Amino acid sequence: MFYPDELIEEIRYQNDIVEVISQYVRLNKKGSSHFGLCPFHNEKTPSFSVAQDKQIYHCFGCGAGGNVITFVMEYENYSFVEAIKVLADRVNISLPEPEISEEMRKMVQYKQQLYDANKEAAKYFYHQTSAPLGKKAYDYLNDRGIGDETRKKFGLGFSHFFRDDLYQYLTSKGYSDAVLRDSGLVLEDKNKPGELYDRFFNRVMFPIFDIHNRVIGFGGRVLGDGMPKYLNSPETKLFDKSKNLYGLNIARTSRRNNMILVEGYMDVISLHQAGFDNTVASLGTAFTKGQSNLIKRYTSELIIAYDSDNAGVNAILKAIPILEASDISVRVLKMLPYKDPDDFIKGEGPERFEEIIAASIPSFMFEVEQLEAKYNLSDPDHKTKFYQGIARKLVELENEIKRDSYFEAMINRYNMNPKALNSEMEKIGKDVGIVSHKREDASSSEGKIKNRFSKDSIVVAQKNILTFIVSHKDIFEAVRPYIKPSEFVDGLYRQVAEIIFELYEENLEINPAMIINKFVELDQQNNVAQVFNNDVKVENGMQFEKMVNESVQILKNAYIDKMSGQVTEVNDLQELIKVKRELQDLYISLNHG
Ligand SMILES: [Zn+2]
C-alpha cells in the first residue's frame, strides 16, 4: 500500500459516501438506501444505490460498486493514489510522502509507462494522417466513408513505411527499450540482437481502448496487399484480448438498451458513425467467456452481426452458448446479400439497418435454422434426425417458460406431433442427466440440471459465506471451526476471507467499505463490493441455517475437488477422501433468536 492503512481508513471514514456521491449524482432516499441514475451506464430508472450504513455503492444494472474511494477512481478515471489525494484534500487531511516499497513503486511506475507509451504512440499515429506522407491512409479512410470527426473519436492513425520511426520517436521522448519491447510496439531484429524496429508499418492504425479510455493496444490494417491484412498488438501486461472488446469504451455509455456484436474494427466504426453507438467487436479471436462477462456488466441483450459467410455462422454458433451462460439473451442479425454491417450501411443506410435489427431472430431459431439446413426434410431418416435435434435443443433450455414457447413454435412451424416430440425430449433428458419437463403434468416443475455444484454455484457459495460472516459475528463463530480462508477456491474470495478472519480474530470492528480499501485495482474493488451486495433472500431462521450449511458443503467439496487434482502423495489423497466422507455428516446448527 502507498499510505499507512490507518490513514487510508481515516480518509475514507471522514468522506461520507452519500455526501461525496451527491456531488455527482442526484440521490433520493428510499428506506435505508439512497437511489439515483447510474453514472456508469445509461438508464432511465434508477438502479444505482448507495448504502449509508455500509458506506458502499452498488449498481444492479451494470455491477459497478465499491466504497467512496472506488467511486472517485471509477468516476474520475483516477488511480488509487490520485483518488486518495482528492479525498484527503476534501476533508483537510495532509498526506505524508507515500509509504511504499521500492518494488511496488517500480511496478506501478512501470505499468504507467506502458500506458503512456501506448498513448504517445496513438497520438503519433493520429498526427501522421494529416501529414503529407500519411495522405494514403487519410484517403483510404475517406474512401471508406470515415469522416474527420469519426477519425478523431476513434483516434485512427497511420504507421509509416519506415522501419523504426515510431521507435526513434518514443526513444526521443525518454522511453526505455525495455518499456517499448514490453508494450508490444517494437520487435527485436532476430539477426541483429539488441536492434529494435516497429511492429506496425504501412498500416491504418486502430487504437484499442479499455473501458477507462486508456490505450492498451493496437490493431493495424495494411494499406495495399501486404500480409497479414490485420495485425494486432500481442498480449502484454496491459492487453488481454480475451477480456476486452473494441468500442466498449464508447458503447458502455450508449443510450440504447442492447449491444451489437460485430467482427471487425471497420464494422464498429461504420455503425457508430451511422448512430449505432452500442456496437462492439471481439478482437480478432474467438469470442470468450471473459468478453461475455464484460458485456453482461452493461446489457442483458446482445445482437450478433457477424459476417454472412460460413466462418461467421460458425463463430455465431460458438458464441451463443458462451453468452447464454452469462444470462444474456442473444439475437442474430441477417444481412444477406451484404457480407458485413459496414457493407450493409453503405448499401442500405441506417434506417434499413434499424429495420433488420427489429427483424433479428432469437438465437434458438437461428440454431434450428442452421440445423435444418443440414438435412433434406423430404427424406424420412433426415427428418427424424432433424426432429431429434430439435428435441435435444429444447431439453437444453433451462428456462421453462422459454421451453414451452419454443415447443409451441416448433410444433407449428414444422408440423410436428406434440406427443412424439415430448417423448423424444424425455428420452434425451434421461440420457444426458437432465430431467425433462412433462408437458401434460402442470404440477411438475422439474427441469433442472442434476449437477448442483456448477462453477456458478461455487461462486455463489463463497459469496454467501462471506456475506453471512461479515454481517453476523455469531455466524462467524459458528462456522469458524469448520472452514478456513484457504479453502476458498477463488483467489479474490480467499483474500477477502483472510481479511475478515483476521479482523475478527483481532476483535476489530468490521465493515465492507474498509475491506474494499485493501484492494488497489478498480476491478478488484468492484468484485469485492459485489460480495457485500449479494442479495441473499431468506424467509426464516431454519431456511437461513439450511443455506449456510449448503454453502459450507459446496465450498468444502469444491476445495476437496481442487486439492484432489493437486496432491501426489497417497496419504494426502486418503486424508482428502476421509475429509470428504466426514463432510457428509457435517451440520452446523445456528442459535436462532
Ligand atoms: Zn450502472
Side-chain angles (χ1 to χ4, degrees):
M1 205 56 80
F2 310 91
Y3 297 104
D5 280 358
E6 307 79 59
L7 180 63
I8 292 170
E9 181 52 19
E10 184 62 24
I11 294 166
R12 185 199 64 71
Y13 183 79
Q14 294 208 24
N15 280 281
D16 179 72
I17 195 162
V18 174
E19 275 177 34
V20 171
I21 294 184
S22 296
Q23 297 176 327
Y24 303 91
V25 180
R26 182 193 298 265
L27 295 173
N28 289 312
K29 194 161 194 271
K30 229 192 262 169
S32 64
S33 285
H34 294 73
F35 285 86
L37 291 173
C38 179
F40 305 115
H41 86 282
N42 263 292
E43 58 177 10
K44 295 185 187 83
T45 50
S47 45
F48 179 81
S49 78
V50 185
Q52 197 149 26
D53 53 345
K54 294 190 206 160
Q55 287 288 306
I56 59 180
Y57 69 97
H58 177 65
C59 173
F60 298 96
C62 69
N67 63 19
V68 69
I69 303 168
T70 322
F71 182 85
V72 174
M73 286 170 73
E74 203 164 8
Y75 192 93
E76 303 279 13
N77 261 330
Y78 284 161
S79 70
F80 186 80
V81 173
E82 288 168 332
I84 285 290
K85 282 183 182 148
V86 170
L87 290 169
D89 210 40
R90 188 176 172 272
V91 293
N92 296 319
I93 293 180
S94 59
L95 289 169
E97 280 302 300
E99 168 201 287
I100 167 175
S101 74
E102 189 62 11
E103 195 190 350
M104 180 72 142
R105 192 178 59 82
K106 278 198 179 130
M107 198 267 289
V108 170
Q109 260 182 7
Y110 197 69
K111 223 172 157 183
Q112 194 55 49
Q113 282 183 37
L114 289 175
Y115 282 120
D116 292 345
N118 272 294
K119 188 173 168 186
E120 202 65 64
K123 277 174 28 194
Y124 180 78
F125 292 142
Y126 175 73
H127 286 300
Q128 302 309 315
T129 49
S130 24
L133 277 173
K135 189 164 185 314
K136 203 172 143 192
Y138 183 85
D139 290 346
Y140 170 84
L141 292 169
N142 224 23
D143 288 348
R144 306 258 338 224
I146 293 169
D148 286 354
E149 202 184 311
T150 305
R151 187 165 57 87
K152 190 171 175 195
K153 189 171 176 189
F154 286 89
L156 307 180
F158 174 58
S159 59
H160 273 305
F161 335 91
F162 309 121
R163 183 175 152 84
D164 65 352
D165 64 306
L166 177 71
Y167 170 65
Q168 297 298 348
Y169 176 76
L170 291 175
T171 303
S172 79
K173 289 265 167 184
Y175 293 98
S176 69
D177 282 5
V179 166
L180 295 180
R181 210 182 279 132
D182 287 352
S183 72
L185 290 164
V186 304
L187 294 163
E188 186 166 333
D189 192 327
K190 284 200 189 76
N191 302 316
K192 296 177 195 157
E195 198 176 309
L196 300 173
Y197 65 99
D198 297 351
R199 175 181 298 271
F200 298 99
F201 49 91
N202 192 31
R203 286 174 188 273
V204 172
M205 299 301 294
F206 302 84
I208 298 162
F209 297 87
D210 67 8
I211 53 167
H212 306 300
N213 287 311
R214 296 177 296 201
V215 181
I216 51 173
F218 292 89
R221 190 212 187 274
V222 75
L223 280 175
D225 298 324
M227 290 295 277
K229 194 169 163 194
Y230 279 95
L231 179 68
N232 278 330
S233 290
E235 304 271 308
T236 67
K237 282 202 174 70
L238 308 183
F239 185 41
D240 179 349
K241 276 176 221 175
S242 68
K243 289 190 184 126
N244 284 287
L245 289 153
Y246 184 67
L248 186 63
N249 57 317
I250 302 171
R252 71 197 284 253
T253 61
S254 169
R255 294 245 159 240
R256 293 172 182 264
N257 55 11
N258 51 24
M259 276 194 195
I260 303 171
L261 177 68
V262 297
E263 278 186 38
Y265 302 108
M266 286 305 286
D267 295 323
V268 169
I269 292 166
S270 148
L271 284 182
H272 276 252
Q273 191 171 256
F276 302 92
D277 62 352
N278 54 337
T279 308
V280 297
S282 40
L283 289 156
T285 44
F287 189 78
T288 68
K289 178 84 189 136
Q291 291 173 326
S292 180
N293 289 338
L294 198 54
I295 290 175
K296 178 67 188 172
R297 279 189 63 172
Y298 304 104
T299 186
S300 52
E301 186 185 273
L302 184 83
I303 298 155
I304 307 185
Y306 278 180
D307 293 1
S308 311
D309 55 10
N310 272 335
V313 168
N314 288 331
I316 297 173
L317 291 172
K318 282 195 185 127
I320 288 171
I322 299 173
L323 285 156
E324 287 181 343
S326 305
D327 213 11
I328 294 171
S329 83
V330 183
R331 304 182 71 84
V332 180
L333 200 67
K334 292 185 173 176
M335 291 169 293
L336 282 172
Y338 296 95
K339 68 173 176 12
D340 58 38
D342 181 31
D343 241 29
F344 189 98
I345 287 286
K346 292 210 175 74
E348 302 280 335
E351 291 81 21
R352 270 289 293 146
F353 196 75
E354 203 81 72
E355 280 169 38
I356 60 166
I357 286 181
S360 63
I361 61 169
S363 57
F364 185 88
M365 299 307 279
F366 179 80
E367 290 174 312
V368 169
E369 279 181 10
Q370 294 308 315
L371 195 64
E372 186 181 353
K374 281 202 235 163
Y375 298 109
N376 166 15
L377 297 190
S378 55
D379 175 329
D381 280 348
H382 274 221
K383 202 167 172 176
T384 309
K385 284 207 177 107
F386 174 54
Y387 285 2
Q388 283 167 337
I390 290 180
R392 179 168 291 274
K393 290 223 62 59
L394 285 167
V395 170
E396 283 166 4
L397 285 177
E398 274 186 56
N399 184 306
E400 231 174 300
I401 301 171
K402 214 168 160 182
R403 201 187 310 132
D404 270 355
S405 44
Y406 282 119
F407 185 97
E408 219 63 58
M410 290 297 104
I411 293 173
N412 294 332
R413 179 160 176 169
Y414 297 105
N415 241 327
M416 296 165 88
N417 173 344
K419 270 207 175 125
L421 179 59
N422 195 43
S423 73
E424 187 63 34
M425 283 169 70
E426 278 184 7
K427 207 171 108 214
I428 292 167
K430 277 188 198 114
D431 289 350
V432 297
I434 296 169
V435 186
S436 167
H437 157 71
K438 293 187 188 63
R439 293 183 57 80
E440 286 85 8
D441 179 5
S443 67
S444 162
S445 62
E446 292 162 314
K448 294 211 175 75
I449 294 177
K450 270 184 192 164
N451 180 15
R452 286 192 305 139
F453 302 152
S454 64
K455 211 162 168 269
D456 283 348
S457 72
I458 296 168
V459 169
V460 172
Q462 295 177 89
K463 278 187 179 180
N464 281 352
I465 294 176
L466 293 173
T467 309
F468 298 150
I469 65 174
V470 85
S471 41
H472 307 276
K473 185 157 194 203
D474 50 330
I475 293 181
F476 172 75
E477 300 292 353
V479 302
R480 175 159 55 175
Y482 306 101
I483 56 172
K484 293 196 267 305
S486 58
E487 291 173 334
F488 285 75
V489 290
D490 288 314
L492 185 79
Y493 300 137
R494 189 156 59 239
Q495 284 181 54
V496 176
E498 275 161 11
I499 295 168
I500 297 175
F501 273 62
E502 201 185 304
L503 289 170
Y504 272 132
E505 256 134 46
E506 287 172 18
N507 255 320
L508 293 169
E509 194 215 337
I510 234 170
N511 77 54
M514 186 166 86
I515 293 168
I516 294 167
N517 265 359
K518 308 267 179 188
F519 298 85
V520 179
E521 296 273 339
L522 190 55
D523 289 346
Q524 288 181 323
Q525 293 183 355
N526 283 164
N527 284 331
V528 176
Q530 279 187 9
V531 170
F532 304 119
N533 281 293
N534 184 13
D535 208 5
V536 186
K537 290 194 180 60
V538 276
E539 273 153 27
N540 55 47
M542 277 314 289
Q543 209 186 35
F544 187 60
E545 184 172 293
K546 194 172 153 234
M547 190 178 260
V548 170
N549 274 286
E550 255 178 31
S551 300
V552 170
Q553 289 280 347
I554 293 175
L555 174 84
K556 293 196 74 95
N557 265 302
Y559 176 70
I560 291 166
D561 287 347
K562 181 182 152 197
M563 292 314 287
S564 342
Q566 290 175 6
V567 297
T568 48
E569 298 290 317
V570 179
N571 289 349
D572 295 342
L573 195 58
Q574 278 172 341
E575 180 61 27
L576 280 178
I577 293 168
K578 190 174 146 238
V579 175
K580 187 152 190 163
R581 207 176 298 129
E582 284 167 1
L583 193 54
Q584 292 169 0
D585 301 322
L586 172 67
Y587 190 84
I588 305 167
S589 64
L590 307 170
N591 295 324
H592 316 298

